[in-house]
Amino acid sequence: MKALILAAGRGRRLWPLTAERPKCLLSLGPVTILEHQLRHLGGYGVEEITVVAGYGFSAVRYEAEHVVGLRVRVLYNPFFALADNLISLWSARAELEGPFVLLNGDTVFHPHVLSHHLLAVPEPSCCRLLVQRKERYNEDDMMVRIDTGEPDRLLDIGKGLAPEVNDAASIGLMRFSALGAKRLRRELEAAVIADTALQSYYLEGLKGLATTGFEVECRDIGALAVRDIDTAEDLQAVKEAYSHFLVEETLQRSRQGRA
């Protein structure tokens, strides 16, 4: 299994914390956001990891290549200052050979999100999108509309979905089969020639899959801890509750290391 992490953005809403470092290198206390992701992925058997970077590229590459026990490759997205994450994923299109896991570079998550919902369950026929149902959603959430069944299937996705048709929010973690990767590349090639490409999100490609007859399975992670780091408040909240994003064995090793 391999993984692709999209971490090219500047993190303007975290300024001045990101004045000299990219968002993915902000500290959660014991580790950076990027190291948190890399260690969780490596801990559950992901052997090949590619990071798409832009702002602070050299620092991201140094950090990624010095996480002990992991082999990580870092690609440069030259359009990071001009475009949203559709172009980031398109710039790594040569890496889209399935099966693979795709995640955003600002998502902090409990490792059971991977083990229980992506890696230790059967491979999806096309794509499995992880979602979380909430009592309240905010403007940063990527909303999803779901056709309930066995499995639940994606009907629509986007930040502009009306509240009355919204069923959950994407958490920015998904898994593609080989077929799903092939179809996603086709969707990307079509999306990047649109007039709105620079302002588009790669998740629009999932909508394209769902509306052309390919199953995008939606899987709810329940109450497992997950949070996108968009603001200083997000970062502080994760720092204060970082133990909630670790398994008990990791906590024990951490306590032993401080003893």
Side-chain angles (χ1 to χ4, degrees):
M1 179 62 68
K2 63 182 182 180
L4 181 62
I5 302 173
L6 302 182
R10 295 180 63 91
R12 290 185 177 88
R13 292 172 60 190
L14 283 151
W15 204 269
L17 297 176
T18 53
E20 297 182 354
R21 67 180 66 191
K23 184 196 297 192
C24 68
L25 296 189
L26 294 177
S27 174
L28 300 176
V31 296
T32 64
I33 297 171
L34 179 60
E35 186 174 354
H36 166 91
Q37 294 183 328
L38 294 176
R39 292 200 176 281
H40 279 0
L41 289 165
Y44 284 95
V46 177
E47 299 174 345
E48 182 181 344
I49 304 173
T50 300
V51 179
V52 180
Y55 177 60
F57 174 79
S58 296
V60 174
R61 181 170 60 182
Y62 182 86
E63 166 103 354
E65 293 178 351
H66 287 80
V67 176
V68 176
L70 294 177
R71 290 187 303 172
V72 185
R73 191 155 66 100
V74 184
L75 301 180
Y76 182 62
N77 170 17
F79 309 106
F80 72 89
L82 303 172
D84 223 310
N85 62 21
L86 169 67
I87 302 300
S88 252
L89 184 55
W90 179 78
S91 70
R93 60 197 180 280
E95 304 298 312
L96 304 185
E97 298 287 343
F100 73 97
V101 171
L102 175 63
L103 61 154
N104 296 329
D106 62 357
T107 304
V108 181
F109 54 91
H110 190 282
H112 286 174
V113 170
L114 287 175
S115 61
H116 291 23
H117 297 285
L118 279 188
L119 301 180
V121 291
E123 182 177 276
S125 61
C126 179
C127 174
R128 176 177 298 120
L129 173 68
L130 297 190
V131 303
Q132 192 169 49
R133 290 179 169 86
K134 305 179 181 180
E135 292 184 1
R136 187 181 316 165
Y137 299 92
N138 59 56
E139 62 182 12
D140 291 318
D141 286 329
M142 183 64 72
M143 310 296 194
V144 295
R145 184 181 172 208
I146 297 172
D147 179 16
T148 304
E150 291 292 339
D152 290 351
R153 298 184 182 188
L154 179 70
L155 290 176
D156 201 357
I157 185 167
K159 289 196 172 183
L161 289 187
E164 59 268 21
V165 300
N166 174 55
D167 296 305
S170 165
I171 70 164
L173 256 167
M174 62 208 73
R175 177 181 175 180
F176 291 87
S177 66
L179 171 63
K182 181 178 179 180
R183 295 301 309 184
L184 179 63
R185 288 198 304 273
R186 291 188 184 182
E187 292 294 331
L188 290 175
E189 294 296 345
V192 295
I193 64 174
D195 292 340
T196 57
L198 294 182
Q199 293 79 41
S200 295
Y201 299 99
Y202 70 84
L203 288 174
E204 291 292 323
L206 295 190
K207 184 191 301 186
L209 291 177
T211 56
T212 53
F214 292 89
E215 181 179 280
V216 178
E217 171 192 337
C218 295
R219 188 177 177 105
D220 189 355
I221 67 166
L224 286 172
V226 63
R227 186 149 184 170
D228 289 342
I229 307 296
D230 293 314
T231 66
E233 291 74 20
D234 293 333
L235 183 64
Q236 186 60 34
V238 172
K239 282 184 176 181
E240 292 175 357
Y242 188 60
S243 62
H244 296 170
F245 297 86
L246 303 173
V247 293
E248 184 58 31
E249 304 92 280
T250 307
L251 284 172
Q252 290 176 354
R253 288 197 297 269
S254 176
R255 294 178 187 125
Q256 290 168 358
R258 293 195 299 266

